[in-house]
């Protein structure tokens, strides 16, 4: 599955990024514990001890909340930069199967993300045993959750890289996918509200049901996990990003295995995606700018003007992004 020669090649090519990623992911969790302990010691030195407590609240001030960013960086380095620089062409010409290349790249990044954070978790756990804080909130839940969410974002950006021909396209596709489930429901509903004058929340038994629906919708939207409020939810909520990460893995694997590299430099490697995505971008532009136009003056005229502007903007962005080849 993972070839040693390819693994060595990836290590040598991305050695600095991998080492910095490992250092950051290993130290983030124990540094969270030490930083809180330092604040506690500072409080003891300058205040009455009765007002000082050594409490670890991973839902408030945890350094590990941005660990998912490392997953994005690794995915861009392992896939996107190779596309943009043209080294992917050389790699695909070597006597390796496409599946071997993908599996080596994917599992190298996954190993760095998961194992490094596990080591950081162990170090933080030992620090907690040694320093003995008065209370520890969400330590295990937040630590494990961040691992899963880091894997999800890594898998998402890798999958985007297997569909696209350059770094910009990879990141834009990943971001669009991360917010798309929310947009394709909220934007149409918001436009229906403007046209009919009926508030969507009024269709629910009460306002609490509406907000509950909105929260559940965000649970199925990858970008929603950037906010650490998920830590207050049931631990079973983490099954959703775990499943999404696995789904993105299979999408990336199939795309890398089946799609050729002839369109290197274009937005999408698979030409069939060009037109449907362009139409989707235009539709979202029309709906989004329509809402903005209506909000500016709360009039149908502003709404129509906004839709026209959104259609033009969506067309120009999609045309110059999708159909124009990026020069190396």
């Amino acid at each position: 599955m993972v070839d040693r020669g390819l693994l060595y090649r990836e290590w040598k090519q991305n050695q600095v990024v991998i080492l910095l990623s490992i250092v950051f992911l290993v130290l983030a969790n124990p540094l969270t514990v030490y930083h809180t302990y330092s604040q506690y010691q500072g409080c003891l030195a300058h205040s009455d001890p009765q007002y000082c407590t050594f409490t670890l609240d991973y839902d408030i001030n945890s350094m590990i909340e941005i660990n998912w960013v490392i997953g994005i960086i690794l995915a861009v380095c392992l896939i996107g930069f190779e596309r943009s620089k043209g080294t992917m062409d050389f790699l695909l010409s070597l006597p390796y199967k496409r599946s071997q290349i993908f599996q080596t790249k994917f599992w190298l990044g996954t190993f760095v993300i998961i194992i490094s954070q596990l080591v950081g978790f162990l170090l933080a756990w030992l620090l907690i045993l040694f320093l003995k804080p008065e209370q520890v909130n969400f330590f295990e839940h937040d630590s494990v959750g961040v691992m899963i969410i880091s894997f999800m974002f890594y898998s998402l950006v890798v999958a985007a890289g297997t569909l696209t021909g350059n770094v910009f396209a990879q990141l834009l596709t990943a971001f669009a996918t991360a917010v798309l489930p929310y947009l394709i429901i909220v934007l149409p509903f918001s436009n229906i509200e403007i046209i009919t004058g009926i508030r969507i929340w009024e269709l629910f038994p009460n306002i609490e049901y509406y907000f509950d629906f909105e929260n559940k919708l965000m649970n199925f939207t990858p970008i929603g996990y950037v906010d650490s409020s998920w830590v207050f939810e049931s631990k079973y909520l983490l099954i959703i990003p775990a499943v999404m990460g696995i789904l993105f893995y299979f999408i990336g694997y199939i795309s890398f295995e089946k799609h050729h590299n002839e369109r290197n430099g274009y937005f999408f490697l698979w030409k069939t995606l060009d037109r449907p995505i362009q139409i989707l971008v235009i539709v979202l532009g029309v709906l989004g700018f329509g809402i903005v136009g209506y909000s500016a003056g709360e009039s149908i005229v502003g709404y129509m003007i906004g839709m026209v502007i959104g259609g033009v903007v969506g067309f120009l962005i999609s045309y110059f992004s999708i159909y124009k080849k990026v020069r190396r």
Side-chain angles (χ1 to χ4, degrees), residues 18-29:
I18 291 173
L19 286 175
L20 290 176
S21 299
I22 291 173
V23 170
F24 180 87
L25 294 175
V26 168
L27 294 181
N29 208 332

Side-chain angles (χ1 to χ4, degrees), residues 282 285-291 293 300-316:
I282 293 173
V286 169
L287 296 178
F289 275 81
I291 295 172
I300 295 298
V301 174
Y303 176 64
M304 299 300 294
I305 293 174
M307 293 181 75
V308 172
I309 295 174
V312 173
V313 171
F315 172 79
L316 293 175

Side-chain angles (χ1 to χ4, degrees), residues 28-37 54-58 62 64 119-143:
N29 208 332
L31 283 178
T32 295
V33 179
Y34 182 75
H35 175 68
T36 306
Y37 178 73
F54 180 22
T55 302
L56 281 169
D57 286 316
Y58 269 71
S62 171
I64 67 174
V119 173
F121 172 82
L122 177 61
L123 293 176
W125 179 69
L126 292 174
L127 264 180
I128 290 171
L129 290 179
F130 177 74
L131 298 175
K132 295 181 174 60
E134 298 174 27
Q135 187 176 353
V136 180
N137 299 322
F138 301 108
F139 171 60
E140 295 87 356
H141 183 51
D142 196 46
S143 298

Side-chain angles (χ1 to χ4, degrees), residues 46-288:
H46 300 93
S47 306
D48 191 324
Q50 66 176 331
Y51 299 113
C52 302
T53 58
F54 180 22
T55 302
L56 281 169
D57 286 316
Y58 269 71
D59 58 311
I60 297 176
N61 55 354
S62 171
M63 295 180 185
I64 67 174
E65 299 301 334
I66 61 170
N67 282 6
W68 56 271
V69 176
I70 301 300
I72 294 176
I73 294 173
L74 285 171
V76 168
C77 291
L78 292 171
I79 301 288
F81 282 153
E82 293 231 46
R83 294 280 196 206
S84 294
K85 294 187 294 185
T87 54
M88 184 67 78
D89 298 334
F90 170 74
L91 181 57
L92 292 171
S93 68
L94 297 176
Y96 295 108
K97 295 180 180 179
R98 281 175 170 262
S99 59
Q100 288 180 304
I101 296 173
F102 177 81
Q103 299 287 16
T104 301
K105 285 178 172 292
F106 184 87
W107 293 112
L108 172 61
T110 301
F111 181 86
V112 170
I113 291 169
I114 301 300
I115 301 302
S116 299
Q117 291 188 78
L118 283 174
V119 173
F121 172 82
L122 177 61
L123 293 176
W125 179 69
L126 292 174
L127 264 180
I128 290 171
L129 290 179
F130 177 74
L131 298 175
K132 295 181 174 60
E134 298 174 27
Q135 187 176 353
V136 180
N137 299 322
F138 301 108
F139 171 60
E140 295 87 356
H141 183 51
D142 196 46
S143 298
V144 174
V146 169
M147 293 181 205
I148 294 173
I149 291 165
S150 299
F151 170 74
M152 178 190 68
F153 279 111
Y154 169 73
S155 186
L156 168 61
V157 181
V158 167
T162 63
L163 289 166
T164 54
N166 53 74
V167 173
F168 172 74
Q170 180 186 17
L171 290 173
L172 185 58
T173 300
F175 175 76
T177 303
V179 300
L180 191 60
Y182 187 80
L183 289 182
I184 61 177
I185 294 179
V186 171
L187 282 182
F189 278 165
S190 298
N191 280 266
I192 291 173
E193 286 185 350
I194 293 173
I195 295 171
T196 63
I198 300 174
R199 302 296 180 183
I200 298 299
W201 63 266
E202 294 176 352
L203 302 178
F204 291 83
N206 56 57
I207 194 67
E208 293 181 2
Y209 280 90
Y210 172 75
F211 285 118
D212 186 56
F213 167 76
E214 195 172 52
N215 290 334
K216 283 183 169 58
L217 176 60
M218 288 303 296
N219 291 339
F220 291 92
T221 306
I223 198 70
Y225 290 93
V226 171
D227 183 0
S228 61
S229 60
W230 55 265
V231 78
F232 297 106
E233 302 288 340
S234 168
K235 59 183 179 182
Y236 298 109
L237 177 67
L238 294 173
I239 294 175
I240 297 175
V243 171
M244 286 195 289
I246 295 170
L247 176 62
F248 294 141
Y249 160 74
F250 282 111
I251 292 173
Y253 175 76
I254 294 171
S255 299
F256 198 88
E257 179 78 13
K258 301 299 181 182
H259 295 161
H260 297 290
N261 213 42
E262 288 81 2
R263 301 191 81 230
N264 214 8
Y266 280 100
F267 197 96
F268 289 113
L269 298 177
W270 192 22
K271 190 176 182 180
T272 310
L273 285 175
D274 290 351
R275 186 65 65 188
I277 297 300
Q278 183 185 28
I279 293 172
L280 178 62
V281 171
I282 293 173
V283 170
L284 292 177
V286 169
L287 296 178

